[in-house]
Amino acid sequence: MVAITIRNIACLLGVASLGASVAVDTTKVDVDAAAWKMTELCVDYYTVGFGDTCWDIISRNQNKFTMRQLLCWNTDINPWCSNLIPGRQVCVGVDRPGPVC
């Protein structure tokens, strides 16, 4: 009789190689800044990091602006803030009085 161990089953099912298949590439993404739509009055920028959310961007900038302003200044960011791309710069400050948001 053949002894079947958890390790044998894991290898048969490919679970042992699962760690390599879910590794995340953390290298910097080369992004064309001109492709991102932001207000031309922008004077301060933030480079999006891996895993950043809009709330992270706001808090890392000492809550100097609201979600509404962030979305107004960066018209390509969707209302759910689910399309942030690591390496891209977003506008986090504008010349006063700035655009009406």
Side-chain angles (χ1 to χ4, degrees):
M1 181 172 202
V2 176
I4 299 178
T5 64
I6 298 293
R7 183 177 178 184
N8 291 344
I9 293 172
C11 287
L12 287 172
L13 296 175
V15 176
S17 65
L18 184 60
S21 66
V22 295
V24 176
D25 182 13
T26 59
T27 58
K28 187 172 179 175
V29 178
D30 184 26
V31 179
D32 179 12
W36 194 252
K37 293 181 185 173
M38 66 179 74
T39 180
E40 57 193 38
L41 301 172
C42 191
V43 294
D44 198 11
Y45 303 89
Y46 174 84
T47 302
V48 177
F50 288 91
D52 274 351
T53 66
C54 285
W55 294 111
D56 293 329
I57 294 169
I58 294 167
S59 67
R60 289 187 180 127
N61 286 278
Q62 293 78 40
N63 296 309
K64 293 179 183 174
F65 50 89
T66 65
M67 176 70 81
R68 183 177 177 175
Q69 289 172 309
L70 179 65
L71 296 177
C72 175
W73 300 338
N74 301 280
T75 57
D76 280 356
I77 298 176
N78 66 34
W80 306 275
C81 198
S82 61
N83 63 336
L84 293 175
I85 299 172
R88 274 230 164 116
Q89 288 192 326
V90 295
C91 181
V92 294
V94 296
D95 249 347
R96 298 289 176 213
V100 177
C101 295

